[in-house]
Amino acid sequence: MSRSFREVFGATLLMAVGLGSVLLAGQAAQIHRALGAHLPWQTLLLGLAALGEVLLPVSCLLGVGLAYGRWRNEGALTALSALGVRPVRLLLPAILAGLTVSGVTFGFSTHLGPRALAALADRWDVAVGQAAHAPGGVALPAGRARGVVRADGSPGEIWAISEWGAGLAVLRAEALEFDPAGGARLRRVELFADTLRARLGEVRLDDARGPRRPGALRPPQTLPDASLPLDGTPEVAFTRGRRRALAALGVPAAILGALLGGSLGRTIALLSGAGVAGVLYWALRAGSLAARDGHLSPGWAAWLPFIVLAALAGLSTRLAWARFRA
């Protein structure tokens, strides 16, 4: 039994590495399109930690399906059933793997993931502040800002041109910062307009079209469970419930993967598991939108992915149990 558990859990880790690599590549491409620059490689590791709450249950579904599908193809399940091993006992390695994944996912969703998102938000803000040094610069309400790149490759001062009455004003700033909502601030500014020259500590550009911080990099997503207010908004209640619901996905995901692999074989199990992952993504999005629009209470909306996956596992048990036992 311990060998079976190691094989199931090893297949789950293998799927986590493969899926994580694909998702990180997609994240890196999106960040590059949004900022026009690459973030440090350490950022990718933070992204992997942030994805853990979703990546681990899906990997468990696919990994367990892969292991049980191989056993099915090799006739191991049929042989064990012929030797009198009860079908429920055949599911024990999957259940143990699911419980393990649920425990690890709980740690990611309530502590490690939010801290990783907070660190990603800090790096995002720094990268956005350097956006003016990209080839195209940054669009301002009535002009454009571009940064100087020093000989050693480090970012230098920011130069911007904006409308000033009937003429133009030139601004030289030491730094450009963006708010999470997209507004901008020029720090330590020298302003030149006609015969006027002024030194300003800060110039706000609330209408600047800067990159907006993604919703996943804003509170309450970036707050660990211990920092969430107990009497918070519906968004906080949804976030707290969603984290627990994602952690609870491990067991039904493992059971469903075992039933798919044990009854259909590994190839069809992997394809079916990919379809189930798509359904889970839909449930996550649907629950989030329903909670935001007030169509569902935060609690029901947060647990929608678990309800959907548990229903699929129950339906698969009803339809595939006889073939799993054969």
Side-chain angles (χ1 to χ4, degrees):
M1 185 60 65
S2 61
R3 180 179 178 182
S4 300
F5 169 75
R6 288 197 301 270
E7 186 170 346
V8 169
F9 197 71
T12 297
L13 290 179
L14 179 64
M15 293 304 304
V17 171
L19 287 176
S21 300
V22 172
L23 293 175
L24 286 179
Q27 276 194 338
Q30 289 181 351
I31 290 172
H32 180 67
R33 285 195 299 269
L35 300 180
H38 296 286
L39 293 182
W41 65 268
Q42 295 91 339
T43 304
L44 298 180
L45 299 180
L46 292 173
L48 187 61
L51 290 171
E53 63 179 8
V54 176
L55 178 63
L56 288 174
V58 173
S59 299
C60 183
L61 168 68
L62 298 177
V64 172
L66 183 66
Y68 273 78
R70 188 177 72 82
W71 297 343
R72 173 74 184 182
N73 294 343
E74 293 176 351
L77 293 178
T78 302
L80 289 172
S81 296
L83 291 174
V85 177
R86 297 176 59 189
V88 174
R89 185 171 175 80
L90 295 177
L91 288 175
L92 188 57
I95 295 173
L96 291 176
L99 289 171
T100 303
V101 167
S102 286
V104 175
T105 303
F106 184 79
F108 272 96
S109 62
T110 60
H111 183 73
L112 295 178
R115 290 189 178 278
L117 287 173
L120 277 173
D122 292 339
R123 284 161 173 77
W124 173 277
D125 291 343
V126 171
V128 167
Q130 298 171 351
H133 299 277
V138 175
L140 300 179
R144 182 167 291 275
R146 288 190 178 182
V148 174
V149 179
R150 299 190 181 98
D152 60 359
S154 61
E157 68 270 16
I158 308 293
W159 289 90
I161 298 177
S162 185
E163 292 181 358
W164 181 272
L168 295 174
V170 177
L171 298 92
R172 177 186 180 276
E174 293 186 19
L176 173 65
E177 301 174 356
F178 284 94
D179 296 329
R185 296 184 300 273
L186 290 166
R187 299 284 193 182
R188 295 177 292 279
V189 181
E190 287 186 78
L191 185 147
F192 307 88
D194 295 330
T195 59
L196 174 66
R197 179 173 180 177
R199 291 182 180 272
L200 308 171
E202 175 181 300
V203 173
R204 290 192 59 86
L205 303 166
D206 293 332
D207 294 330
R209 296 184 294 275
R212 294 177 181 269
R213 186 191 290 179
L217 301 183
R218 304 179 193 176
Q221 309 298 333
T222 55
L223 297 176
D225 247 37
S227 300
L228 290 174
L230 296 178
D231 54 347
T233 63
E235 184 181 8
V236 171
F238 174 79
T239 299
R240 181 181 284 110
R242 179 183 57 81
R243 290 172 178 175
R244 283 152 179 75
L246 290 175
L249 287 177
V251 173
I255 293 175
L256 180 57
L259 291 171
L260 291 175
S263 60
L264 302 175
R266 56 186 175 187
T267 301
I268 300 179
L270 285 176
L271 294 175
S272 301
V276 172
V279 173
L280 279 179
Y281 176 76
W282 167 83
L284 280 169
R285 289 290 299 162
S288 177
L289 294 174
R292 186 191 67 185
D293 297 337
H295 298 316
L296 281 177
S297 68
W300 281 104
W303 282 87
L304 184 60
F306 178 85
I307 295 171
V308 169
L309 187 62
L312 289 174
L315 181 62
S316 297
T317 301
R318 183 176 181 85
L319 297 178
W321 188 244
R323 183 173 175 81
F324 180 84
R325 298 173 59 185

